[in-house]
Amino acid sequence: MRSTTNTIWAVLGLALILVLPAFAGGQWVKIFTSTTTFALAAAGAGFLYTRLGMVSLVQVGLMGVGGWVTLRLNHAFNFPFEINLMVAGAVTMFLGNLIALPALRMRGLYLALITLMFAAGLDIVFTAKQFPNGAEGFWGVGTTFAADMRRPVVAQSDAAYLRYTMVWLVIGFVLIELHRRMAPGRAWALIRKSEAAALASGVNVTLYKTWAFGLSGLLAGLGGGLLAGSLGLLDSATFRASESVMLFALVIVGGARFWYGAVIAAVLFRVVPGLLNNWGVDADLSLVIFGAALLHAVMTAPDGLAGQINGAIRTLIPSRKSDNKGAKA
């Protein structure tokens, strides 16, 4: 049954990659590209929460770091986009490892507060220094553009770049799934159940916690770098600490246990405000919608919207077990 559900979602995902960029308008191509990049960060937050039971409220801040590094390397050295993106991911992975240090001794609310303080610190740095835009000087910040953002050769147009970001999102999901199925996934499951039992079994708790935060940071950095490639200019208001809190809340609403829960979270995060703007409604109304959705998830849908969708699919598709029983009868 699970394989059937995953196949359905894989087919839908492939259809979106092929069809969506061709039919979306100019403004919506940008919005969907932004949605895809934030889905990478949401996937990292959901992965940490489901595998280790840890709350990270710094994902959007790490996206900002990834975007800053990508812009800086592009404007200062004119490296190919892929190199800029890989370096950005490596930097945020290292920062994720640093954030993991408090996680070695803390969990729950205290760890969440520490990651939130880290996000607030990044917020202050982004506001004070701004993002590089190609101007002269060490930071490369000025009032006008002096250089263009270099994109991948295969993704020069906005529609092609949307497909490019979607492919990176798929790579991110595959990376998480590979970790889940291999030794790290088994170690994380044991750590979440009982750190004492994990230590007694010979699991290196320090290594695997650091590994998890590093992977989460990598996904956020890739998302930030891809967002920089889409827009060519980033604003500090996009990466406020409050945005990290909102993204994590929407991960819960979307369904942290399911990979498409991250997509749902990103769609709520970026598409819903865009729809409200198109309808002439204040985009801040989305906060009310998100609050109601979070209340619904906490009270009636612990697996989020993805869990409810998955349950609906199960009711529509008969399981193999029931088919076998019917055949025996």
Side-chain angles (χ1 to χ4, degrees), residues 51-54 100-108 111 186-210 213:
R51 297 300 154 208
L52 286 171
M54 293 184 172
L101 296 179
L104 301 178
R105 294 183 175 275
M106 297 182 181
R107 297 189 67 174
L111 177 61
R186 294 189 292 271
W188 291 329
L190 189 56
I191 291 171
R192 174 163 186 171
K193 186 175 182 180
S194 171
E195 288 192 21
L199 287 170
S201 301
V203 174
N204 190 332
V205 174
T206 300
L207 170 64
Y208 283 109
K209 279 189 175 182
T210 305
F213 272 89

Side-chain angles (χ1 to χ4, degrees), residues 21-186:
F23 289 93
Q27 176 191 1
W28 281 104
V29 167
K30 291 285 188 181
I31 292 176
F32 289 140
T33 302
S34 175
T35 300
T36 307
T37 63
F38 276 91
L40 270 170
F47 152 75
L48 267 181
Y49 183 67
T50 55
R51 297 300 154 208
L52 286 171
M54 293 184 172
V55 176
S56 176
L57 302 179
V58 72
Q59 287 297 95
V60 175
L62 290 178
M63 282 187 70
V65 174
W68 196 99
V69 173
T70 302
L71 289 172
R72 179 59 183 160
L73 293 177
N74 175 83
H75 295 319
F77 304 105
N78 199 30
F79 289 152
F81 181 82
E82 289 79 4
I83 293 179
N84 300 336
L85 188 63
M86 291 297 98
V87 174
V91 170
T92 53
M93 182 169 63
F94 174 73
L95 288 178
N97 291 335
L98 290 181
I99 297 171
L101 296 179
L104 301 178
R105 294 183 175 275
M106 297 182 181
R107 297 189 67 174
L109 177 61
Y110 296 106
L111 177 61
L113 288 175
I114 289 175
T115 59
L116 181 60
M117 291 173 64
F118 198 94
L122 291 175
D123 187 358
I124 294 172
V125 172
F126 295 149
T127 303
K129 299 299 182 182
Q130 298 300 318
F131 285 86
N133 61 5
E136 296 180 356
F138 179 77
W139 295 109
V141 178
T143 56
T144 59
F145 278 104
D148 294 328
M149 186 68 198
R150 188 175 181 180
R151 281 186 176 181
V153 177
V154 297
Q156 292 295 309
S157 67
D158 288 343
Y161 192 82
L162 173 55
R163 291 192 181 95
Y164 183 80
T165 58
M166 286 180 166
V167 170
W168 271 107
L169 178 60
V170 172
I171 293 173
F173 287 142
V174 170
L175 190 60
I176 291 175
E177 183 63 18
L178 287 175
H179 278 77
R180 187 187 71 82
R181 291 174 178 267
M182 298 171 67
R186 294 189 292 271

